[in-house]
Amino acid sequence: MPYADLSFAQWNDLSDGAARRIAQDIADRHDLTVVGLKDTAYAGRSHRMALFDRNGMRFALVPGGRPTLGYDAARFQPFPEQAASYADSAGEYGLPPLAEYVDAMTSPVRGAEMPAMLVAVEAFDPCEIPLAPDDPRVLELVASTGDRRGVVKVFRSGGGLTVEFDQTGQVARARATREVSYDEAVAGLASIGLRTTTADEWEWACGAGATTLFRWGDDCPNDGYPFDCKTGAHREANLWGLAIGQDPYKHEATTERTIVCGGDGGGTTCGGSGFFLGWLTLATAYRDKDFGQWLASDDRYSHEILTRPVINLG
């Protein structure tokens, strides 16, 4: 059986020995290193997680299947706190009834056929360029920072340079940022043999087949926005082991230029539109059509275009 045909049930029904052999064969075929396999659980569901390394970039096996994607807002039964929060927002901004709004801001229900694939655990930013500690730009910033011992510090220059120091005062990480367009971001991934997700793949990668509004359920905190909550289900790796859909400011590009997933650039939370609306931006099927169209307009360049790299298992 081609590994792209490996379904969630087939993968999790394998014996430990068979799963290890398949993981190693996948690694050998794609010049990867197997980091490990372990049983994990998220939001009441269990899974055998497989992690791989590719030149410092970590990938997780996302099995395939025939999921139903999108969200049916008619099924949403809001918790009292969610309904109250939305009522306040609706009154202030003239929004339609809750179910109608959720329906407008989520992708339609549809069937899909997902191949198994390897998906990056963390989003990738092609605008970011790693720098060596002895890079002249890093050395110049280091010389200007003074004594750094005993405390971890981050220094940023106006030219897009960021240097992080460890507790001994040594450079732990340095990077520079540059403006790139969507096309350049996609081309940058292709140049290293990767691509970003389709919109359907992103939903499957994020929700792992969950039918609830969020990948963890239908509820959400009512005392702050996602970035206010440093712990919680949205901060945990999902069922596949991915750090995804955690911060509305960290929206991710897909192969469809006008469709971004995982956030809205922070527009809702920055505007103080209400806690439920702020959390809704992390719904698995969330789509802000206006934001997507704006991002795709006028060949926009950005200092941050997050993508979710994929390795095909064809």
Side-chain angles (χ1 to χ4, degrees), residues 32-116:
L32 309 170
T33 301
V34 178
V35 175
L37 281 72
K38 68 175 182 178
D39 293 331
T40 187
Y42 182 82
R45 302 166 63 208
S46 58
H47 171 62
R48 175 193 282 124
M49 183 170 61
L51 296 176
F52 303 82
D53 180 85
R54 182 186 191 265
N55 299 323
M57 186 181 293
R58 188 150 295 188
F59 287 81
L61 173 65
V62 173
R66 294 179 174 82
T68 298
L69 302 177
Y71 189 70
D72 180 6
R75 295 191 299 104
F76 182 48
Q77 298 295 319
F79 288 79
E81 297 84 357
Q82 292 174 315
S85 175
Y86 183 78
D88 289 342
S89 300
E92 183 172 356
Y93 298 104
L95 303 178
L98 176 55
E100 184 179 335
Y101 183 82
V102 171
D103 186 62
M105 301 304 291
T106 52
S107 65
V109 173
R110 62 206 183 277
E113 187 163 341
M114 292 287 106

Side-chain angles (χ1 to χ4, degrees), residues 233-289:
H234 69 302
R235 297 291 187 186
E236 299 171 5
N238 74 351
L239 188 66
W240 309 136
L242 308 179
I244 192 169
Q246 298 181 333
D247 185 337
Y249 284 91
K250 302 295 184 180
H251 58 277
E252 298 183 22
T254 69
T255 57
E256 298 172 64
R257 189 173 184 137
T258 61
I259 297 180
V260 296
C261 298
D264 69 340
T268 301
T269 54
C270 180
S273 301
F275 293 147
F276 175 72
L277 293 186
W279 280 93
L280 182 63
T281 62
L282 298 189
T284 303
Y286 183 79
R287 300 282 174 85
D288 187 328
K289 300 180 181 66

Side-chain angles (χ1 to χ4, degrees), residues 132-153:
D134 59 354
D135 185 283
R137 291 166 290 181
V138 176
L139 294 176
E140 182 179 356
L141 185 60
V142 168
S144 68
T145 58
D147 187 5
R148 305 171 304 276
R149 290 171 295 178
V151 63
V152 177
K153 291 186 177 180

Side-chain angles (χ1 to χ4, degrees), residues 114-115 117 195-206 310:
M114 292 287 106
M117 54 193 165
R195 63 172 178 83
T196 194
T197 56
T198 67
D200 283 0
E201 288 171 344
W202 196 97
E203 283 192 29
W204 175 238
C206 179
V310 171

Side-chain angles (χ1 to χ4, degrees), residues 10 19 44 56 172 186 225 230 258 304 312:
Q10 290 169 328
V186 171
Y225 292 111
K230 304 306 180 185
T258 61
E304 182 178 69
N312 295 326

